Amino acid sequence: MHSSASSTPPASASRRLQLASLLRERWDLVALGLLAIAPLVIPALGGALGGQVTTLFIYCILALGLNVMVGYTGLVHLGIAAFFGIGAYSMAILTVPMYPFQMGFAAAAVISTLLAAGVGLALGAPTLRLRGDYLAIVTLGFGEVVKVTLRNLEQITGGMKGLNPVPPPGAGVTLGGVDLGMAFAIDPRYFYYLSLIVLAGVVVAMRRLENSRLGRAWVAVREDELAASAMGISATRVKLSAFAMSSAVAGLAGCLYAASLSTTADPNAYDFNRSIMMLCAVILGGLGSIPGTLLGVAILVGFDTVLAPWADSWIQQMNINPTGSSLLSFSGWRLALFGLALVLVMRFRPAGLVPSRRLAAELHEGQT
Amino acid sequence: MSVQFFLQQCLIGLTNGALIALVALGYTMVYGIIGLINFAHGDLIMLGACLALSLVTALGLATAGPTATWLGISLLIVLCGLFCGTLNVAVDRLVYKPLRSAPKLAPLVSAIGVSFIFMNMGLFWIGSADRAFPELLPSTNLLPMEGLQITWKDLLVVIVVVPLMVGLTLLVQMTRLGKAMRAVSQDQTAASLVGVDVDRVIAATFFIGGFLGGAASVIYGLYINTIGFQIGFQNGLYAFTAAVLGGIGSIPGAVLGGLVIGLVRSLSSAYVGERWTGAIVFAILIVILVFRPEGLLGRRTKEKV
């Protein structure tokens, strides 16, 4: 189709085309490079903004974890925040001074990630034979159970206050004359880089997984469970591994979250709303698509933390809303705009903003 | 903890459960017919409750005599039912209908979007703070004893819910429309081949589900006496759980599921503590689903090639 259109274009246009195709093929390296330079160029990243972007990276990790289950394997998961919470609280319990463990960051992160995976396995093993929507409600129910438990077991989880202070990574370690713990605590750019590195690692791991035997088995089960099992794939084992992988990545994101805030925050940070936001991000961006998932998170989080406050302050500056009525403020319309965006994207791009290439290839196979 | 206390809790649970069941019917009917978890249903009921509150104020029902009160309540139920039913049909036309052949998750996300839009409408309608819903019914005990209480409010729930459910069962089992609904839920293509107007049947299902939700919203206001723009989520969650527990798609299942959830809620609030209720309800749900994956009254369906 496009081969006929591209007959000897002028040189400048061809260079532009090359640049565009470079951006399309290597968007990941371009983005990573820009994000790596950003803190050196933009001083604001050394302040509150740096913390916000760090949180954005952490949500990206969480959404990539969710994508394993919802995107690759096609199982609706409505309780990912529970595993996020398990990671965060386990990190806190293993490191805060209140408990006798007081481990280092890395050891605690490994244990918390494994713990989250273990809980995922324990929940998945008896429930994975349920049909799709029943499984969705089980994950939703599990999310509520975890949230209520975190809130009510005050002796262990600190109730609504949460657990703190979670020490920063490298506390007490001096590297080249810099006290790493202090540096992490004072300069948000350290956490910025740490979470960026972890995010990049997760993206690379996900890519490898996507094309591995296991990743292809996930997709096969999503497309047709019966056919997959006829080909010798054990559907239960494949789904269980997806569940464990999702939980593990979500737990890892939780570890970073607790460490970067130096507290677990209150249990409401791990409620159904968070799960739904993540699910919307994955579906909005494109199921099973890594760039889509990242874009989905960036849009949703950006909407809440960047666009809404900015629009509100603009309205205030322009003095459009002297009476302070919620009808004339941007945040008054926040929910409706958000909802409308979800509806419109699903109406006009049901496969998401950046559909997965594999999905697109499958959908158009018959047309070529 | 006496026997009377236990009975009282069961009574509260069953009344609450009847209310949950009425909402659960809306979930289960829509799911049965197009396989959509209608996340916006809880918020639809919240909007119904907002309308009910506005109407109570506009009609001055809080100061009316007993006859006028009962007439007013009946009027409220009909008006809120029509409102929610129509709104539900309109949303189906505008949002879900164009997505009938889209990937399965697209309508689900749209429903979440609609639920956010509804919440915002509720926010503009009644404000962000919780609002008191006027007590229209006297809370005198109708039983001639001390320990056990049945009030007009409890009775109202029964008076409204039971006929609605009987009516729904008759509609689904006895009428042409009901037959068409059952046919569409089994196989849309086959139903349209034998002359069923599938779109009309789906619209009718949305209308009936919405109507029941509208009725539930009035009872909710009169029974719980507080409404807020966020009540939709919590109530939707319990009702949806009830529908799944009973076997989603099954009408008697939704009723049974609602009653079970209501009982579990009131008994666990009374004996374990209110703050654990959410965890207990969902833990029981998970356990039941592990042993009966198709829900209490759901049909076991074989996956077909």
Side-chain angles (χ1 to χ4, degrees):
Chain A
M1 214 169 32
H2 31 75
S3 60
S4 60
S6 63
S7 54
T8 60
S12 67
S14 109
R15 202 170 303 135
R16 212 177 306 140
L17 255 170
Q18 263 179 3
L19 193 69
S21 84
L22 180 78
L23 262 177
R24 199 164 46 238
E25 294 301 319
R26 301 264 51 130
W27 61 270
D28 43 0
L29 292 182
V30 175
L32 184 63
L34 288 177
L35 287 173
I37 307 170
L40 308 174
V41 187
I42 308 169
L45 283 173
L49 183 67
Q52 282 177 358
V53 180
T54 305
T55 312
L56 175 69
F57 291 158
I58 293 171
Y59 287 147
C60 283
I61 300 173
L62 179 60
L64 284 174
L66 181 62
N67 186 39
V68 171
M69 223 178 127
V70 188
Y72 299 151
T73 324
L75 303 168
V76 184
H77 193 323
L78 296 174
I80 196 70
F83 296 94
F84 190 52
I86 288 170
Y89 272 88
S90 141
M91 179 78 192
I93 287 173
L94 291 174
T95 54
V96 289
M98 185 183 136
Y99 283 98
F101 311 107
Q102 297 181 14
M103 291 182 179
F105 174 82
V110 170
I111 294 179
S112 306
T113 306
L114 290 178
L115 181 77
V119 174
L121 281 176
L123 177 68
T127 56
L128 273 173
R129 65 199 178 100
L130 295 175
R131 271 196 300 133
D133 300 297
Y134 291 86
L135 185 65
I137 190 86
V138 164
T139 55
L140 192 164
F142 182 72
E144 289 295 299
V145 171
V146 168
K147 187 189 75 183
V148 171
T149 310
L150 290 178
R151 193 184 289 166
N152 292 342
L153 276 184
E154 278 155 3
Q155 298 87 344
I156 299 174
T157 63
M160 290 307 282
K161 292 194 300 289
L163 286 173
N164 57 65
V166 178
V173 179
T174 326
L175 197 75
V178 183
D179 182 345
L180 264 185
M182 283 300 283
F184 264 104
I186 293 168
D187 192 341
R189 281 177 290 189
Y190 281 81
F191 263 115
Y192 177 97
Y193 279 118
L194 177 67
S195 43
L196 181 60
I197 291 167
V198 176
L199 174 60
V202 171
V203 168
V204 171
M206 286 298 158
R207 282 226 179 120
R208 306 288 305 227
L209 264 174
E210 234 176 49
N211 297 314
S212 71
R213 197 184 165 85
L214 183 61
R216 283 176 286 137
W218 284 339
V219 175
V221 166
R222 176 190 75 199
E223 291 303 314
D224 193 330
E225 196 175 324
L226 264 185
S229 45
M231 301 300 288
I233 292 172
S234 158
T236 320
R237 198 179 298 167
V238 165
K239 285 193 207 166
L240 203 55
S241 65
F243 210 141
M245 180 61 70
S246 265
S247 314
V249 176
L252 177 66
C255 292
L256 280 173
Y257 186 71
S260 72
L261 294 180
S262 88
T263 166
T264 58
D266 72 277
N268 286 336
Y270 313 101
D271 69 353
F272 181 68
N273 267 327
R274 173 82 62 240
S275 301
I276 278 292
M277 278 295 187
M278 287 300 134
L279 186 68
C280 288
V282 172
I283 298 174
L284 201 65
L287 280 172
S289 149
I290 293 171
T293 300
L294 300 180
L295 182 70
V297 177
I299 290 176
L300 291 195
V301 176
F303 181 85
D304 254 352
T305 56
V306 182
L307 183 64
W310 177 82
D312 266 338
S313 71
W314 184 78
I315 285 172
Q316 207 164 26
Q317 268 175 18
M318 302 301 284
N319 208 17
I320 295 172
N321 185 16
T323 53
S325 139
S326 63
L327 268 170
L328 284 176
S329 79
F330 184 81
S331 26
W333 289 88
R334 197 186 132 254
L335 281 171
L337 283 175
F338 183 66
L340 197 63
L342 289 181
V343 169
L344 288 178
V345 170
M346 285 302 110
R347 173 77 178 79
F348 296 106
R349 293 198 71 125
L353 295 171
V354 189
S356 141
R357 275 186 201 172
R358 184 183 260 157
L359 206 65
E362 278 159 8
L363 285 177
H364 297 293
E365 216 162 52
Q367 294 170 10
T368 45
Chain B
M1 306 265 177
S2 61
V3 179
Q4 269 181 349
F5 179 77
F6 176 77
L7 284 178
Q8 180 72 62
Q9 295 309 318
C10 288
L11 211 71
I12 296 176
L14 288 175
T15 324
N16 258 315
L19 197 55
I20 297 174
L22 206 51
V23 182
L25 283 170
Y27 279 101
T28 221
M29 290 177 70
V30 166
Y31 186 88
I33 212 141
I34 55 170
L36 164 72
I37 301 176
N38 187 2
F39 255 97
H41 195 62
D43 298 285
L44 179 77
I45 284 150
M46 180 271 297
L47 285 183
C50 293
L51 178 69
L53 179 63
S54 300
L55 285 175
V56 166
T57 322
L59 297 172
L61 279 186
T63 51
T67 328
T69 306
W70 283 104
L71 272 177
I73 291 175
S74 321
L75 186 68
L76 280 186
I77 290 174
V78 173
L79 286 179
C80 290
L82 289 176
F83 169 72
C84 288
T86 315
L87 192 58
N88 218 16
V89 173
V91 169
D92 173 51
R93 266 289 138 83
L94 288 173
V95 181
Y96 308 135
K97 196 174 166 220
L99 297 177
R100 294 269 197 267
S101 56
K104 222 187 112 208
L105 282 174
L108 178 74
V109 177
S110 296
I112 296 174
V114 172
S115 124
F116 284 132
I117 296 174
F118 280 176
M119 253 165 89
N120 214 150
M121 284 163 68
L123 181 68
F124 285 146
W125 197 331
I126 59 169
S128 58
D130 282 356
R131 295 273 295 270
F133 200 98
E135 298 256 7
L136 297 185
L137 296 168
S139 50
T140 43
N141 188 5
L142 297 173
L143 287 185
M145 49 170 116
E146 278 291 300
L148 206 58
Q149 262 205 347
I150 297 184
T151 65
W152 277 109
K153 285 204 261 181
D154 301 306
L155 217 54
L156 171 82
V157 178
V158 180
I159 296 174
V160 177
V161 172
V162 172
L164 278 176
M165 285 179 182
V166 173
L168 180 69
T169 316
L170 290 179
L171 178 87
V172 172
Q173 297 299 333
M174 303 290 206
T175 64
R176 269 177 79 85
L177 177 66
K179 208 174 197 174
M181 283 163 69
R182 280 179 289 143
V184 172
S185 78
Q186 273 185 14
D187 190 330
Q188 277 194 24
T189 323
S192 68
L193 281 176
V194 295
V196 175
D197 185 345
V198 173
D199 282 331
R200 245 192 73 214
V201 171
I202 293 176
T205 311
F206 268 91
F207 183 81
I208 296 168
F211 189 92
L212 296 177
S217 72
V218 178
I219 307 173
Y220 182 91
L222 291 170
Y223 187 70
I224 312 280
N225 293 116
T226 321
I227 64 168
F229 81 102
Q230 284 176 318
I231 58 168
F233 170 67
Q234 183 78 34
N235 290 290
L237 200 60
Y238 280 121
F240 175 46
T241 309
V244 175
L245 183 65
I248 195 154
S250 147
I251 288 174
V255 177
L256 180 66
L259 294 178
V260 170
I261 296 272
L263 273 179
V264 170
R265 262 179 81 175
S266 72
L267 291 179
S268 68
S269 294
Y271 290 101
V272 187
E274 182 136 32
R275 55 192 202 145
W276 286 101
T277 301
I280 291 171
V281 167
F282 286 105
I284 289 179
L285 173 82
I286 294 175
V287 171
I288 289 185
L289 282 185
V290 166
F291 291 105
R292 273 194 76 83
E294 65 284 352
L296 291 174
L297 298 182
R299 275 166 309 177
R300 193 178 274 271
T301 47
K302 260 269 196 269
E303 190 95 6
K304 279 173 284 187
V305 184

